[in-house]
Amino acid sequence: MSAFRIFACAICVAVATLIGIGRASAEDGHELWLRYRPVADAATAAYRQSASELVVTDNSPTIAVTQAELVKGLSAMLGKPLPVVSAVTQDGAIMLAVTGKAKVISDLRLPVAGLGNEGFVIRSATWQNHKVTVIAGNTDVGVLYGAFRYLRQIQTAQSTANLNISDKPRVQIRVLNHWDVLGRGSANSAGQSIWDWPKLPAWKDPLYTDYARANASIGINAVVPNQINADPVMLSPMYLRKLAALADVLRPYGIKMYLSVQVTSPMTVGGLKTADPLDPAVKKWWADKVSEIYTYIPDFGGLLVKADSEGEPGPQSYQRTQADGANVLADALKPHGGILFWRAFVYSNDPKWDRVKQAYDTFKPLDGKFRDNVIVQVKNGPLDFQPREPFSPLFGATPKTNIGMEVEVVKEYLGGATHLFYLGAYWEEVLQADTYAKGKGSTVASVIDGSVFKNKLTGFAGVANIGTDRDWCGSTFNQANWYSFGRLTWDPHASARAIAEDWAAMTFTPDKAFVGPVVDMMMASREADVDFMMPLGLHHQFATGHHYGPEPWGNTAGREDWNPVNYNRADKDGIGYDRTTATGTNYAGQYKPQVAAVFNDLKRIDDKDLLWFHHVSWDYKTKAGLPVWDDLVRHYDRGVGEVVAMEKIWAEMKPYVDTDRFAKTTVFLQMQEKEAKWWRDSSIAYFQSVSGRPLPEGIAPPEHSLDWYKELNTSLKVPVYPF
Ligand code: BDP
C-alpha cells in the first residue's frame, strides 16, 4: 500500500470516528458480558469522580487478577487509565480490603461478619479525609466477586455514588459440568471442547483465563472438565498433571477443579478384579487414588459420578445400593475435605417401570444413608431436560440428604445452538415451584439452598454450553444461558427477568429502548419453544437418534424408555400419559399431598402439565375451553407465531446492535422459524394420522406429508439444520 493510501485511510478512520460511523462496529461476541465499552458521555464525569484511583495493599494472585479486571474495565469504560496506588491519595479512591489485612474494614465497621468466605460489601464512605469506595470481603475471592459487582454497576448504567451493597452466595458449590470428550469434541451440542488436552500441561491456552474471568464474574466456583460418561484415562498420572495445570489457571479466580469418574475405575485403571464398593481392596484403591489426586491438586474439589444409567456401570452390578457406591468415594475424599457429587439419573429400560419414577424410587429409601460430604445431584425434572417438566419429586423428599440441582445450560433438546431460548425463564419456573416439603413456601430454590432442611452442604450444577466458537456458546443469546445459570447458582431465588436485564445491558447496551423489548422477547422465548415442540405437557417427542428435531412417531423395538410414542400414548381415542394415583402409574403420588392433589385432579391441573399426568380423549375440553385436539394444534401454530414475533422485535433492534451480532441472530431466528414449522407440521401430521381428526378452522395443512417428515429423519444422522 502506498504512503498516500495509508494516509488517506487514516483520515477516513479519523473522520468516521468523529462523526460516529463505525460506533456499531463488528463484534464477534468473544468478550461476552465483559465488553467494557465506554459509557455514555454524560455519565462519564460522575463515574470518574468515584473511580479516580485503585488502592491495593495485598498481592495475592486473586487480588492481582481483581486489580487487572478493575483496571481493564474502568479504564476502558471511563476512557482514562486507572492509576494503582498503595495508599489513598485523593477523593474517589477504590480500595480493595480483605478482613484481617485492611484496617479500613474495622475503622468503618463494615459488616463482614455474616459474609462467609465468598461474600462482599461495597461501601461508599469517608476515610482518612477522602471520599472512598471500599470493596471488602473476608477473603480475596470475596473481594474479586465484589469487584465484578462494582463493574456491573457501571455496565448497567447504575450510579456508583453512595453505594451500600452487600451480597453472598446462597449455594456453596456452583459448578459447570463440561460434557467434553477427550478428543476435543463435545457431546450434546456444545461445540468443540475448549480444553486442549493434547498440549496441556505445557501450553495453557489464554482462553482458559478468559473462561475463568467470565465464570468468576457470575459466581461459578467449580468446574468438572470431563464427560459425565467418564474416560478412565483421566485418572492416569499423565492426565492428572494436565488437570493440575488447568487448576492452576482457575485457582486465582476462586474456581476449584473436580473430576468425573467411573465406578469401575478400580478395575479399568487399577487392574482389580472387582469394583464392588464394599470390597476392602476397592476401598483402599479409591483412598489411594484420591490421595494421589491431592498430591497434584492440593485444593482439589472432589468427584462426580454417573452410575447405573445408560450403560454406565454402578453398584447395582454388585447388588449394592447407590449409597454404598457413593460412600466408598465419599470416605476416600473426606480426609482431604473433598466433596462427592453422585447423580440421581439412574434408570433401566424395563418397559413396566415408568421411567420418571425411577430416581425417586431408588433414592428416597436411601435418605440418611449418604455421608455428609455427598451431594445427590438431581436433574431439574424427572425425565431428561425436556422443554417443560414438572420439578423432580426428589426435591423436598429427603430431609437427611444433601440434594443439588442439575440443569442443562447447553440446549441439547432445545434447538441446539440456534434457537433463541432463554433458559433463565425455564429454571426460574422450576426453582419457584413449591414442594410443600415443610408446608407452603418450601420452594425448590429453598430446598437446594439448604434452608428447608438446614443442609450444611449445597450445590447447583449446569452442563456447560461452552466451546471453541468465537462467541463461546454458538450464539449470542446462548451466552445469556451461561450468564443466568451462574447468577441463579449464586442466588436461586433471583428474578430471571432482572438477570436478563443485566445481561442484555452488559452484552449490548444499557439503553432502555433496547433492554425493554429484548428482555420481553427473552422471557417469552421459552414458551415459544414449548408451544411448537411439546405443548400441553407432552415430553420426549424428539428424534431419539440425535436429540434434534421432532419424531413423535418414534418407536424402536426394545427402547420403550426412549420411544416418543411411549410418552405421548396417542391413539384414535386420546392422548397423554396417565400418571395419576387412581388409574395411572402413580408418579403423581411421589409428590407431597398438596402437590399430588393438583396433578391428580383434572379440574385443578394446569393445561401446561395436562398430558404429562393424564390420558384424555381428543374431545376433552382443556381450561382454554377447546377440545384437546384443537388446543394442541393451536399451540403448535402459536409457537411458530411467537418465533415470528421475536424476529420482528429483533429487526427493530438493529440501530442498537453491531452488524455481525445483529446479522447472526437474525439468521438464527429465521432458522428457528423454519424449525418451528418443522416441529409444528410434522407433529400435527402425525397426531392427525393417529386421531383421524380434521384440522381446526383456520389452521393450514402441514407443508409435507408424514412420510416426508419420516424420510427426513432417517436421513439425519446427527443434529444438523436440514433446510
Ligand atoms: C442425556 C444425554 C446423554 C447424557 C445423559 C446423562 O443425551 O448424553 O449422558 O443425559 O445425563 O440427556 O447422563
Side-chain angles (χ1 to χ4, degrees):
M1 195 189 276
S2 72
F4 172 75
R5 284 181 60 198
I6 293 174
F7 177 69
C9 283
I11 290 187
C12 288
V13 170
V15 171
T17 311
L18 271 180
I19 61 172
I21 299 175
R23 284 236 310 278
S25 63
E27 291 197 41
D28 61 12
H30 191 71
E31 294 164 295
L32 296 162
W33 47 89
L34 300 175
R35 291 161 58 251
Y36 302 137
R37 290 297 181 271
V39 299
D41 291 347
T44 314
Y47 284 132
R48 280 187 186 172
Q49 257 184 24
S50 47
S52 61
E53 63 184 13
L54 181 65
V55 185
V56 183
T57 51
D58 194 359
N59 61 358
S60 77
T62 298
I63 292 296
V65 301
T66 308
Q67 171 183 325
E69 196 70 33
L70 284 167
V71 168
K72 179 185 164 99
L74 293 173
S75 305
M77 287 192 288
L78 309 185
K80 186 171 174 264
L82 180 74
V84 178
V85 293
S86 56
V88 179
T89 70
Q90 54 181 312
D91 281 353
I94 299 174
M95 304 178 65
L96 304 185
V98 179
T99 304
K101 295 187 187 167
K103 217 164 89 56
V104 66
I105 294 182
S106 48
D107 285 1
L108 293 177
R109 301 217 169 95
L110 295 181
V112 289
L115 290 180
N117 283 336
E118 297 181 307
F120 58 83
V121 175
I122 308 176
R123 175 74 65 86
S124 307
T126 301
W127 192 65
Q128 295 184 343
N129 298 322
H130 285 296
K131 290 201 168 115
V132 298
T133 305
V134 189
I135 303 179
N138 290 325
T139 64
D140 47 8
V141 171
V143 175
L144 173 67
Y145 288 144
F148 277 115
R149 179 66 188 80
Y150 180 87
L151 287 163
R152 192 209 299 168
Q153 199 73 2
I154 302 177
Q155 291 174 284
T156 55
Q158 311 293 309
S159 165
T160 51
N162 306 319
L163 291 180
N164 187 8
I165 301 172
S166 148
D167 202 4
K168 64 175 180 184
R170 295 173 85 149
V171 172
Q172 278 162 279
I173 308 179
R174 307 177 296 278
V175 54
L176 275 177
N177 293 183
H178 287 255
W179 284 0
D180 297 358
V181 291
L182 282 180
R184 297 211 72 173
S186 159
N188 322 89
S189 343
Q192 295 289 300
S193 173
I194 61 168
W195 316 124
D196 196 349
W197 297 112
K199 302 192 190 75
L200 278 163
W203 169 241
K204 297 176 197 165
D205 196 310
L207 206 58
Y208 308 153
T209 306
D210 283 338
Y211 165 85
R213 285 176 54 227
N215 277 334
S217 76
I218 52 176
I220 286 167
N221 67 356
V223 165
V224 181
N226 64 325
Q227 241 288 352
I228 190 68
N229 305 306
D231 190 324
V233 79
M234 290 303 293
L235 286 170
S236 67
M238 179 171 62
Y239 273 88
L240 291 177
R241 282 197 298 276
K242 294 172 189 286
L243 210 60
L246 212 46
D248 289 344
V249 181
L250 304 183
R251 187 171 297 111
Y253 293 90
I255 300 170
K256 280 192 180 176
M257 182 60 76
Y258 286 67
L259 194 59
S260 157
V261 294
Q262 266 196 331
V263 292
T264 45
S265 304
M267 298 160 76
T268 49
V269 183
L272 300 189
K273 294 228 156 37
T274 177
D276 179 352
L278 299 192
D279 186 294
V282 171
K283 281 187 187 193
K284 179 168 179 340
W285 188 84
W286 277 117
D288 290 347
K289 183 44 90 179
V290 168
S291 298
E292 185 192 343
I293 299 176
Y294 278 90
T295 63
Y296 289 92
I297 310 171
D299 58 351
F300 181 67
L303 300 171
L304 165 69
V305 176
K306 167 178 179 177
D308 291 315
S309 170
E310 301 185 334
E312 287 298 321
Q316 278 171 9
S317 320
Y318 305 96
Q319 288 74 51
R320 308 296 185 201
T321 68
Q322 298 299 308
D324 294 332
N327 290 342
V328 62
L329 286 154
D331 289 344
L333 287 158
K334 183 79 177 174
H336 309 277
I339 303 301
L340 176 70
F341 285 97
W342 186 268
R343 295 177 87 221
F345 188 60
V346 170
Y347 73 94
S348 75
N349 66 355
D350 181 346
K352 288 191 290 300
W353 202 0
D354 180 0
R355 179 173 151 189
V356 305
K357 291 182 70 179
Q358 295 189 31
Y360 180 100
D361 283 349
T362 308
F363 283 85
K364 167 80 179 157
L366 297 173
D367 187 25
K369 300 264 186 325
F370 291 92
R371 300 284 193 262
D372 63 1
N373 60 334
V374 176
I375 296 178
V376 174
Q377 183 165 311
V378 181
K379 290 193 182 186
N380 62 267
L383 188 53
D384 207 0
F385 307 127
Q386 296 305 290
R388 169 167 280 128
E389 298 190 28
F391 67 88
S392 165
L394 270 173
F395 295 118
T398 56
K400 290 178 266 170
T401 306
N402 304 314
I403 293 281
M405 182 149 105
E406 174 184 301
V407 296
E408 256 192 355
V409 186
V410 66
K411 303 205 312 297
E412 175 180 357
Y413 299 95
L414 309 174
T418 43
H419 292 195
L420 198 160
F421 188 139
Y422 174 50
L423 289 166
Y426 179 1
W427 300 327
E428 180 179 56
E429 177 181 284
V430 178
L431 290 163
Q432 295 305 323
D434 201 341
T435 69
Y436 284 85
K438 279 201 166 174
K440 201 168 164 41
S442 312
T443 59
V444 172
S446 309
V447 170
I448 66 164
D449 76 6
S451 54
V452 168
F453 296 130
K454 309 278 169 278
N455 303 75
K456 293 213 181 60
L457 183 61
T458 51
F460 193 162
V463 180
N465 64 350
I466 297 156
T468 54
D469 292 50
R470 273 305 289 166
D471 64 11
W472 303 85
C473 304
S475 84
T476 313
F477 279 86
N478 277 352
Q479 296 176 355
N481 295 332
W482 180 5
Y483 183 83
S484 62
F485 168 71
R487 292 280 303 272
L488 285 169
T489 64
W490 179 276
D491 179 6
H493 303 265
S495 139
R497 176 177 285 275
I499 293 172
E501 282 166 359
D502 284 348
W503 175 81
M506 293 160 82
T507 304
F508 295 101
T509 165
D511 194 325
K512 287 195 172 56
F514 173 83
V515 173
V518 164
V519 170
D520 284 348
M521 172 178 84
M522 290 167 73
M523 293 302 291
S525 65
R526 188 283 176 102
E527 212 57 43
D529 267 48
V530 170
D531 279 342
F532 68 70
M533 285 181 169
M534 305 181 206
L536 296 176
L538 283 179
H539 47 285
H540 215 288
Q541 299 301 292
F542 54 86
T544 46
H546 45 72
H547 302 181
Y548 191 75
E551 198 173 73
W553 53 87
N555 193 8
T556 310
R559 283 322 319 222
E560 279 67 20
D561 54 333
W562 281 359
N563 286 335
V565 294
N566 187 41
Y567 292 98
N568 63 52
R569 306 204 158 199
D571 59 21
K572 68 176 188 359
D573 300 320
I575 182 168
Y577 200 140
D578 187 352
R579 295 194 169 101
T580 61
T581 303
T583 52
T585 66
N586 194 25
Y587 162 74
Q590 292 185 336
Y591 291 94
K592 291 283 179 291
Q594 295 92 324
V595 182
V598 174
F599 286 149
N600 267 324
D601 187 350
L602 269 173
K603 288 201 199 65
R604 296 180 67 192
I605 194 165
D606 200 297
D607 281 348
K608 70 181 170 47
D609 299 315
L610 180 66
L611 304 179
W612 185 289
F613 286 96
H614 296 270
H615 185 84
V616 294
S617 94
W618 291 109
D619 292 320
Y620 172 80
K621 287 264 173 51
T622 64
K623 300 271 187 305
L626 295 170
V628 80
W629 163 249
D630 293 44
D631 207 4
L632 187 69
V633 171
R634 288 196 191 282
H635 270 88
Y636 285 126
D637 197 48
R638 188 170 82 189
V640 174
E642 286 161 324
V643 177
V644 173
M646 294 202 282
E647 289 179 84
K648 289 210 177 93
I649 293 177
W650 185 248
E652 283 164 17
M653 296 301 114
K654 190 165 186 198
Y656 304 96
V657 184
D658 48 281
T659 34
D660 284 7
R661 292 190 302 169
F662 181 78
K664 190 169 180 184
T665 300
T666 302
V667 172
F668 280 14
L669 281 166
Q670 288 160 359
M671 293 166 74
Q672 187 172 359
E673 185 191 328
K674 287 231 167 83
E675 294 198 342
K677 287 178 175 157
W678 175 25
W679 274 93
R680 175 192 67 186
D681 289 1
S682 63
S683 303
I684 292 177
Y686 172 66
F687 290 121
Q688 197 177 18
S689 78
V690 176
S691 69
R693 302 264 153 162
L695 284 176
E697 217 170 289
I699 299 288
E703 196 180 344
H704 301 285
S705 70
L706 181 57
D707 283 342
W708 188 92
Y709 291 111
K710 288 186 177 173
E711 186 53 37
L712 175 66
N713 275 15
T714 38
S715 62
L716 281 182
K717 302 269 181 290
V718 287
V720 288
Y721 177 65
F723 301 110

